[in-house]
Amino acid sequence: MQGVLDWEVVPVKKKGPVLVRARFGCLSSLHSLNITRGCSFDCIYCYARSFTNSPPRKTVYLYQNLVQELTRQLDSPFRKTRIKGVVFNTASDCFQPHPDILKATFEAMETILLRGIDLHVLTKGVIPKPFFGLFSDHLSSVKPSIGLVPDNPVYKVIFEPNAPSFVERLKNIENLNRIGYAPGIRMDPLIPFLTDQTDLLELFFKTLKGFDVGSITVSYIHLRPAIRKEFQYRLPELYKKIIQLAFPSSEYHQVGTSTLTRLIPVSLRHKGYQKIKDIAHHFGFTVRVCQCKNPDLQGDLCYSDQSQPSEENLPEQLPLFT
C-alpha cells in the first residue's frame, strides 16, 4: 500500500445532492454515494477517469461537507422520492486507507443506517475494525460485496497497483463471516488470458470453499474510450497486445444508460463464462453473469427486483491503440 501514501487528499465542498439516483442497470432503484472524487487504489480500468471533473492523478478530492449535506437531504421535509437503499462506491472506494476518508465513510454509513435505509457496499479495500461493530448492529440492512478476481500477481501490479492484496480481501470475508454475513463476490473485471486461466480459477474457487459467501457475479472487462487511453499510456507492450487480442473489433456498444463501450467478442465471453460456471459448480458454487455488463448475453441481474437493461449498438468505430 506504499503507493497510496504518495497521493494527496484535498478537501472540497460537494456541490449538488450527495445522493443521486443510480442510472446503471440493476442499480436503478437505489441511490448512489461516493465519499471521494478520484481513488488512490489507481485501478487503471476505472471508468471514473472519463469524468470531466475527475481530479489529476495522485489526487483525491474528499467531500468535507458530505455528512452534513447527506443529513440535510435525508431529513428534508420536501423530499418526495423514497430512498430504498444507498449503494456506495460506484465511482470510487470508501475504504481507501486515509483517516479523513474513513472517518467520513463511517459517519455517512451510520447516518444512513440509523434511518433504517439499506446500505449496499462493494469494495476492494480493507474494512477497518470499527465498521464491523457498526455492521453487526444493522445486520439486516447492510449488503456487503467484495471485489475479487483469481489471484495473479502480475494482474495486481499492473491493473490494481495500490489496491489491497487478494489475501487482505479474503480477510474482509473472514471478518464479515464472524459477524454473520456471507458477502457477495464480484469477479470483475476479468482479463482474458490473464485472470481466467483454468488453474487460477480452480485455485480461486477452492480457496472460497473455506468461507461463507453469497452470490458470485462475474463480468469480463469493458473497454471505454477513457480506459483505452489509460491502457495506451500505462500498460507494458505485452499487455497491450493481450488487450488487442481480447478486443479485435472496434465496434462500440451502449451499456447501461449512456456508456460507449467495447465488449469482448460474444463467443469468447460465452466460452469463458461457461468454463467459470463449470469450475465453480465443481466446487459447489453457482456463478451469475452480470446482465448489465453483458447486454448481448443471457445473464442475471445483480438485484432481483430490477428490470433488464436495454441493448443498443452504436456504429462509431475507433482504433484500439493509435
Side-chain angles (χ1 to χ4, degrees):
M1 301 295 288
Q2 180 63 38
V4 174
L5 302 179
D6 298 333
W7 285 59
E8 181 182 10
V9 176
V10 179
V12 298
K13 285 192 174 182
K14 174 69 175 177
K15 298 179 180 179
V18 171
L19 295 175
V20 295
R21 192 66 174 262
R23 296 185 300 167
F24 191 84
C26 57
L27 297 177
S28 59
S29 71
L30 304 174
H31 286 71
S32 66
L33 186 150
N34 288 284
I35 300 293
T36 65
R37 194 187 328 150
C39 180
S40 59
F41 290 163
D42 201 25
C43 302
I44 71 171
Y45 52 75
C46 180
Y47 73 89
R49 299 180 188 281
S50 63
F51 295 169
T52 56
N53 62 352
S54 180
R57 189 160 174 260
K58 293 197 173 184
T59 303
V60 172
Y61 294 154
L62 171 61
Y63 298 124
Q64 59 184 357
N65 60 333
L66 183 139
V67 176
Q68 295 91 329
E69 292 301 315
L70 173 63
T71 301
R72 182 179 295 113
Q73 189 173 349
L74 290 175
D75 295 344
S76 171
F78 304 105
R79 179 166 56 83
K80 297 180 180 179
T81 303
R82 175 179 174 266
I83 297 179
K84 177 181 179 181
V86 176
V87 56
F88 274 62
N89 304 337
T90 57
S92 64
D93 199 302
C94 64
F95 292 118
Q96 299 168 66
H98 186 282
D100 293 342
I101 295 175
L102 294 173
K103 180 176 183 292
T105 297
F106 188 94
E107 292 176 354
M109 289 184 173
E110 185 177 47
T111 298
I112 291 165
L113 291 170
L114 287 175
R115 285 159 176 77
I117 299 171
D118 284 351
L119 180 67
H120 301 258
V121 184
L122 170 62
T123 183
K124 292 180 172 69
V126 172
I127 304 174
K129 184 177 180 180
F131 287 86
F132 294 107
L134 177 65
F135 293 172
S136 65
D137 289 338
H138 302 273
L139 280 176
S140 63
S141 297
V142 181
K143 322 292 182 184
S145 296
I146 305 299
L148 193 69
V149 299
D151 190 17
N152 183 327
V154 173
Y155 168 85
K156 169 68 178 66
V157 170
I158 294 176
F159 288 88
E160 299 178 354
N162 294 340
S165 68
F166 183 85
V167 172
E168 288 175 304
R169 297 184 215 181
L170 289 179
K171 190 68 175 178
N172 277 342
I173 301 174
E174 179 182 344
N175 288 333
L176 287 166
N177 285 171
R178 286 176 177 169
I179 61 172
Y181 287 105
I185 303 298
R186 188 85 186 191
M187 298 174 65
D188 182 9
L190 285 182
I191 310 292
F193 321 118
L194 192 61
T195 54
D196 66 348
Q197 301 300 297
T198 298
D199 57 338
L200 293 179
L201 289 166
E202 289 176 345
L203 181 58
F204 179 81
F205 289 111
K206 181 179 180 180
T207 301
L208 286 186
K209 283 289 289 183
F211 302 90
D212 187 10
V213 300
S215 62
I216 302 175
T217 307
V218 62
S219 185
Y220 275 104
I221 193 168
H222 286 177
L223 196 62
R224 307 185 187 195
I227 298 174
R228 182 179 66 88
K229 292 179 181 178
E230 194 76 9
F231 283 1
Q232 181 181 15
Y233 173 66
R234 294 177 61 184
L235 280 183
E237 288 300 320
L238 172 62
Y239 297 97
K240 285 183 184 179
K241 291 179 180 178
I242 289 176
I243 296 297
Q244 286 176 324
L245 288 172
F247 292 91
S249 171
S250 59
E251 182 178 14
Y252 275 82
H253 300 260
Q254 184 167 344
V255 176
T257 53
S258 59
T259 305
L260 288 173
T261 301
R262 283 190 201 174
L263 301 175
I264 291 170
V266 65
S267 59
L268 180 59
R269 278 181 287 133
H270 183 272
K271 182 179 179 180
Y273 291 144
Q274 190 58 55
K275 177 174 72 172
I276 293 166
K277 287 182 175 183
D278 290 344
I279 294 173
H281 179 74
H282 176 76
F283 287 95
F285 295 107
T286 299
V287 170
R288 305 187 302 183
V289 175
C290 175
Q291 177 71 81
C292 304
K293 295 186 177 181
N294 295 273
D296 52 354
L297 283 175
Q298 182 62 46
D300 304 283
L301 297 175
C302 305
Y303 297 88
S304 60
D305 59 342
Q306 303 300 309
S307 59
Q308 293 197 7
S310 61
E311 174 192 358
E312 180 181 350
N313 293 337
L314 299 182
E316 180 180 358
Q317 296 190 0
L318 295 172
L320 184 57
F321 295 113
T322 57

